[in-house]
Amino acid sequence: MITLNRRDWLAGAMGVSVAFAGRSALAQDADRNKLVVIIARGAMDGLSVTVPSGDPNYEALRGGLVVRGALPLDGDFGLHPAMPRLHALHEAGEARFAPAVAIPARLRSHFDAQDILENGGAALRQERDGWLNRALAITGTRGLAVGAQTPLILRGDVQTASWAPGGAPDDDGRLAALLMDLYADDPLLGPALTTGLQTEAMAQTALDGQRLGPRNVATLGRGVAGLMAGPEGADIVALTLDGYDTHARQGADEGQLANRLSIQDQVIDGLRLGLGEQWGRTAVVVATEFGRTVRANGTAGTDHGTASCLILAGGAVRPGGLLGDWPTLADNRLYEGRDLTPTLDVRSVFKGLLRDHLGLDQTDIERTVFPNSGEAAAVSGLV
């Protein structure tokens, strides 16, 4: 049990130390690899991220949603112009894309699809905890959730830390001191409060006095990087970005979706800048629960679809082309006549990263992290 007092809290508030409960001796190596999983919650329109401008049916099917000025990836695909930093990573050989990826079940409910994406099961409600938490149990490393609450992907038997960005509302520390006294002898809430305060202190040190806001979103990435850096930093991070449910006024080059993609672009770049040399040992994967319809709806948006894109970035990423096959947008190749057809199981990418980047044994991946997933072979050559 951690003994609480004001001196301990002040040490944390100064960024002197961060208490990481549950760390094992295995995790003390400062040179260990890092993994960040960004969940684009709300169903990101993959056809607007990895733009299939070379597909002969693209413009006819997308109509007013056609993205102009896409940043070139290869002869047939481009990247949305709101993501110039990610494109620069691609040009440097540090970003790759899977244009037609999906969870194993064909669902169009946000809640159900997010459940499968995060619990790693082959079907709905198959697993009770998150696949990243099960991976942590094997590696003995440190997990961190970034967002208003810990997402399912990191929930489970292994204790993880959390950070809800937004700044410390109690700048003089008065409320924190009162809580420290209140929970000083509580064996559950006391240690949890200490860990939370120290995590917040470390994040604020990384932010260097900057406030998070819509005009400096890259600061969020830097803050997360500050919680990952150094020998006591987090090894596996789950970060949630909301706002991708674009049923109306989605926009093409500008608009609601472009704004969300710009935020994502800045967050990834903030991670790169904040991690410094550790960026070379980091992989960032962006996944969403499902894609959106190929055709626009009546309100200049898109409805729930099937396949979307997956983004892989980081200094640890091996240069290469697109991941998975392209199903084309031919009428007879669309899923149920309305959606992009998936050609790659999202678990295949996750498996490849766990095996080749974090060093998990293939048997542990198949039995524990992604049980009943034999049909989804791990993708090789990602890192």
Side-chain angles (χ1 to χ4, degrees):
M1 185 179 73
I2 300 175
T3 301
L4 300 179
N5 55 53
R6 283 189 176 87
R7 181 177 59 81
D8 291 337
W9 178 77
L10 288 173
M14 293 173 64
V16 174
S17 64
V18 176
F20 288 139
R23 291 190 66 91
S24 75
L26 178 66
Q28 298 306 314
D29 181 6
D31 293 333
R32 62 193 180 274
N33 289 339
K34 309 280 187 175
L35 175 64
V36 180
V37 179
I38 298 177
I39 301 174
R41 204 173 294 281
M44 180 173 67
D45 180 26
L47 291 174
S48 292
V49 180
T50 49
V51 182
S53 51
D55 191 293
N57 281 354
Y58 169 66
E59 294 205 10
L61 288 173
R62 295 297 272 178
L65 297 180
V66 169
V67 175
R68 307 292 181 186
L71 307 171
L73 296 177
D74 63 16
D76 296 316
F77 286 86
L79 184 67
H80 195 286
M83 309 185 87
R85 301 164 187 85
L86 184 60
H87 184 258
L89 290 179
H90 172 265
E91 294 297 286
E94 295 184 354
R96 299 180 66 179
F97 306 88
V101 69
I103 60 174
R106 301 293 166 255
L107 302 168
R108 295 193 181 100
S109 159
H110 289 300
F111 184 82
D112 291 344
Q114 288 170 8
D115 184 84
I116 291 179
L117 175 68
E118 297 182 55
N119 73 30
L124 192 61
R125 312 288 187 268
Q126 194 170 74
E127 303 296 329
R128 66 176 180 83
D129 52 4
W131 65 265
L132 267 184
N133 194 279
R134 298 195 293 272
L136 283 170
I138 297 170
T139 62
T141 51
R142 160 68 157 65
L144 170 70
V146 180
Q149 61 183 1
T150 300
L152 172 60
I153 195 171
L154 263 183
R155 294 181 206 161
D157 294 335
V158 178
Q159 181 181 351
T160 62
S162 62
W163 178 48
D170 179 37
D171 291 335
D172 63 3
R174 192 172 303 169
L175 176 60
L178 291 173
L179 290 173
M180 294 294 287
D181 286 342
L182 179 63
Y183 297 134
D185 298 320
D186 191 301
L188 178 63
L189 296 178
L193 177 60
T194 295
T195 301
L197 289 172
Q198 291 175 330
T199 300
E200 177 63 29
M202 189 174 180
Q204 293 305 316
T205 299
L207 293 175
D208 194 26
Q210 297 184 60
R211 291 287 183 177
L212 293 173
R215 295 186 180 181
N216 64 338
V217 182
T219 305
L220 171 60
R222 288 177 178 266
V224 175
L227 295 173
M228 299 172 63
E232 290 298 325
D235 307 297
I236 296 178
V237 177
L239 190 159
T240 298
L241 297 177
D242 297 312
Y244 292 89
D245 196 15
T246 51
H247 283 285
R249 298 185 298 278
Q250 175 175 312
D253 305 341
E254 299 179 352
Q256 181 183 352
L257 179 60
N259 177 60
R260 306 314 299 175
L261 295 180
S262 176
I263 290 173
Q264 186 185 133
D265 186 62
Q266 294 177 64
V267 168
I268 294 174
D269 194 54
L271 285 168
R272 177 187 67 84
L273 294 171
L275 283 169
E277 291 184 359
Q278 286 192 310
W279 175 252
R281 297 185 293 275
T282 301
V284 180
V285 60
V286 183
T288 191
E289 64 263 37
F290 48 70
R292 309 197 71 82
T293 49
V294 170
R295 300 175 181 87
N297 59 26
T299 55
T302 49
D303 297 321
H304 298 175
T306 305
S308 185
C309 75
L310 176 145
I311 297 170
L312 181 62
V317 173
R318 183 180 298 180
L322 296 175
L323 302 170
D325 296 325
W326 175 242
T328 80
L329 296 175
D331 290 339
N332 63 351
R333 296 298 306 276
L334 297 181
Y335 182 74
E336 295 186 347
R338 47 168 275 167
D339 300 340
L340 180 66
T341 298
T343 61
L344 183 64
D345 191 317
V346 68
R347 296 172 299 174
S348 295
V349 178
F350 295 153
K351 283 182 175 183
L353 290 172
L354 292 180
R355 183 191 65 193
D356 301 335
H357 185 59
L358 296 186
L360 272 71
D361 183 79
Q362 185 70 35
T363 300
D364 288 333
I365 294 174
E366 299 294 343
R367 290 181 179 177
T368 304
V369 184
F370 291 106
N372 304 310
S373 64
E375 71 280 7
V379 177
S380 299
L382 300 177
V383 293

